[in-house]
Amino acid sequence: MIENLVIVESPAKAKTIESFLGKDFIVKSCFGHVRDLSKKNFGIEIDNNYSPQYIVSEDKKKIVAELKKLAKDSGVVWLATDEDREGEAIAWHLSEILKLSPENTKRIVFHEITKDAIRNAVDNPRKLNKDLVNAQQARRILDRLVGFELSPVLWKKIQPKLSAGRVQSVAVRLLVEREREVMHFNPESKFKVYGTFSFSDEQGEKVELKAEVTNHFPDSDETRKFLNNCKDADFEVVDIITKPSRKSPAPPFTTSTLQQEASRKLGFSVSQTMTVAQKLYEAGFITYMRTDSVNLSSLALVSARNTITQEFGEKYAKTRKYKTKAKGAQEAHEAVRPTYFQNETIKGNRSEQRLYNLIWKRTIASQMSEAQLEKTTITINISNSDKRFVASGEVIKFDGFLKVYMESKDEELDDSTKGMLPLISTGQFLNYESINAYERFSTSPPRYTEASLVKKLEELGIGRPSTYAPTISTIQQRGYVFKEDRPGFNRNFTVISLSEGKLEEKTKTEKAGTEKKKLFPKNIGIIVNDFLIEHFKDILNYNFTASVEKEFDEIAAGKLDWTEMIDAFYKPFHAKVEKSLATSIKKTGERQLGKDPETGEPVMVRIGKYGPFVQLGDSSKDEKPRFASLLKGQLIETITLEEALELFKLPRTVGDFEGKDLIVGVGRFGPYVRHNNKFFSLKKETDDPLTINKSRAIELIEEKREIEKKRIIKSFPNDPDLKVLIGRYGPYISYKKKNFRIPRKNEPESLTFEDCLRIIEEGQKKERQKAKGKRQK
DNA sequence: CAGTGAGCGAGCTTCCGCTTGACTT
């Protein structure tokens, strides 16, 4: 007989809580949701008032059986799942599946894992909140209905295996719309003028002062006119303003802000951040990493203050409480913070240390005093112009939180010259040393990174901390979008300089349009998005989630019946599904590009079974048309006739090597060189299949041969099929195109031929067992 | 692993949100 069984969601949490509660309590975890809607027939009896059909998830059968047994032997079962909609539902599912009796079941909640919070929770148990559970059921059922009705429409009208959903489809829409903004953006240029001035100070020393004209000049004529004026102008300091200003620290991390900062400061992908954070959490170094709250426990506040006072002194400490402003936040957990502030560093691999360091600094800074700055602005009059030069500087009077941490921005700051300004007074006349005007181009709104997309989704209240990373992966896995670096292009710009009374004009070159780890839509993503917008505009609406969330809140408050809400949504939605199936024809994104000037045959582009391709010629004629795949990054929407015609030049022979032809083409896995029936991939950064030459092709072949050679740890003369190789996940055995893992106890270098055969034998045995197990399921 | 692009039809795909491992070449 167990007196008390406590069930929480996370096993790491269970361990901590058990240590707080003493020997009368057993704490177990259920690993999140234990039941879900069956996948058969939607898992919903639509005609039976949307009655949900729940089944225990395959991977939860074991844990449910274990909990059942423990619950039967327990006096009181404490359901201590998270204090939010999903947590309440998990508690309800547990009470159902474990057949708990109301009198022996207590629901408790805490949103921080501290001894006081847990004790307090145990002293204040409550009953299950069925309204909140119903709000969750409505959420779950709505998502199932949307996902499982829309996706099959896409299978029929566009391509199999595609998907649509309340969250992912909006994520794709954001990317498609941003790409179109970039596509249609026309950069405009204007001129920005910077001057370097000088004067003699009281000691007779020459002192320099840099300043800029705050307005821009629309073109080079205006700019030249202004610079010509400057030749014989007097420059006089007419105004000096010094103003104090303050900067406050950013709040502690939530999942979303952690992902953003880890992306900006450490270059982590969203999923990488979560994997590393999970490790830190399991090791007990940080609090729970999936949270939408910026709240810190009172224990954490005190402890942070102590650490700051000790390390930096009393005046650096300032206790701050932050309010969460994210839409739809449920605040079941604390902010992501170090569990012990005295651990400024931790043991772990490099990524773990770096992420921990970031979390430590951010949290500590959030409890520090603001920085005090002094901003100075010097205005310089130009005697023959109504324009003015302005020099601005910023001096830190007290660094405060800046001592440990400064939040990064997505966009780079302008290149204004901030810093110390020289001592100067009004009425001072200045000489110009040089005045330079730079042509500057306006930029389109930036493409999204994984992290900035998460930020946008969070702002719209779409998705939850536990789903941001999986959503980003899903839209990439479906082939809707992809992540890429783009090298950019060279752009000329004009510089007009005035120095020693002479005006000089130069053309310089800069890199523009460089992209790092940005998300780009693919053709199929664009076609799916346009189809969904055409037929299901309300679901794709950026406010759809926010508006259904309002209704879920009403259900949670007991003011709205969940089946009525679902019915009001489903009836018109389902009618639109039927209509889209009946009326729309298959979408391929087809576009006519024009006629081939050589043959006069039509050229068109569309998406097919194997992706987007161009077609030369009519398929209704006797002569078969020619086909060619689009290159990565080429869009159906923007490809020109000229670019399409280029594609038909592939595959092409660029020369020969070792007596065999070198053929360049584009296949399923991208551009390649084929030589002696072996394929060598082109490097996507540097190589273009349309322009690559013989010497570069040979280079690629030799490069790959070199790598192949290094991959071989061991080979055996008596069987050339058998090799020990080093791969992405360490050493492995390759035999007749099959791979086998090497058991940990073996040194890969010292494996004998017989050892390898034995490992292969075992591996094949295991594989057969696995196949058998699968069939039985 | 890299030549495809017609059409038929069986059987499959798919959602969001909670949680961790197992596993990869």
Side-chain angles (χ1 to χ4, degrees), chain A residues 587-634:
Chain A
K587 293 278 182 213
T588 62
E590 183 173 321
R591 254 183 82 219
Q592 298 296 330
L593 297 179
K595 289 210 171 7
D596 174 19
E598 271 180 37
T599 59
E601 293 286 333
V603 179
M604 67 105 144
V605 57
R606 70 176 180 91
I607 207 151
K609 217 156 71 175
Y610 309 106
F613 66 97
V614 283
Q615 180 179 327
L616 173 62
D618 206 326
S619 47
S620 60
K621 286 192 184 158
D622 290 340
E623 209 175 326
K624 258 193 141 185
R626 289 191 63 195
F627 302 101
S629 287
L630 262 59
L631 297 177
K632 198 182 176 192
Q634 278 184 329

Side-chain angles (χ1 to χ4, degrees), chain A residues 296-310 317-321 337 341-342 364 367:
Chain A
L296 297 176
S297 71
S298 39
L299 196 73
L301 293 178
V302 173
S303 162
R305 176 171 266 276
N306 287 341
T307 301
I308 293 162
T309 310
Q310 246 174 47
K318 180 172 179 184
T319 301
R320 299 165 186 270
K321 289 192 175 182
R337 66 160 173 93
F341 291 99
Q342 56 268 40
I364 284 290
Q367 296 304 313

Side-chain angles (χ1 to χ4, degrees), chain A residues 704-713 725-726:
Chain A
K704 188 166 176 199
R705 284 180 181 172
E706 197 57 37
I707 291 169
E708 288 283 319
K709 234 192 256 167
K710 279 187 192 147
R711 273 183 59 213
I712 302 172
I713 300 178
L725 301 172
I726 183 108

Side-chain angles (χ1 to χ4, degrees), chain A residues 191-224:
Chain A
F191 285 79
K192 179 91 187 145
V193 176
Y194 300 89
T196 305
F197 299 91
S198 67
F199 64 97
S200 297
D201 67 6
E202 280 167 18
Q203 281 79 42
E205 300 266 336
K206 193 171 129 181
V207 180
E208 276 198 351
L209 176 66
K210 289 189 172 179
E212 59 185 72
V213 178
T214 43
N215 342 41
H216 301 275
F217 296 86
D219 53 43
S220 56
D221 282 352
E222 291 275 324
T223 313
R224 235 176 274 118

Side-chain angles (χ1 to χ4, degrees), chain A residues 739-755:
Chain A
N739 299 323
F740 300 90
R741 301 184 67 176
I742 297 170
R744 211 160 282 226
K745 57 179 195 276
N746 294 80
E747 282 275 333
E749 289 81 10
S750 53
L751 283 171
T752 63
F753 184 67
E754 288 70 30
D755 286 338

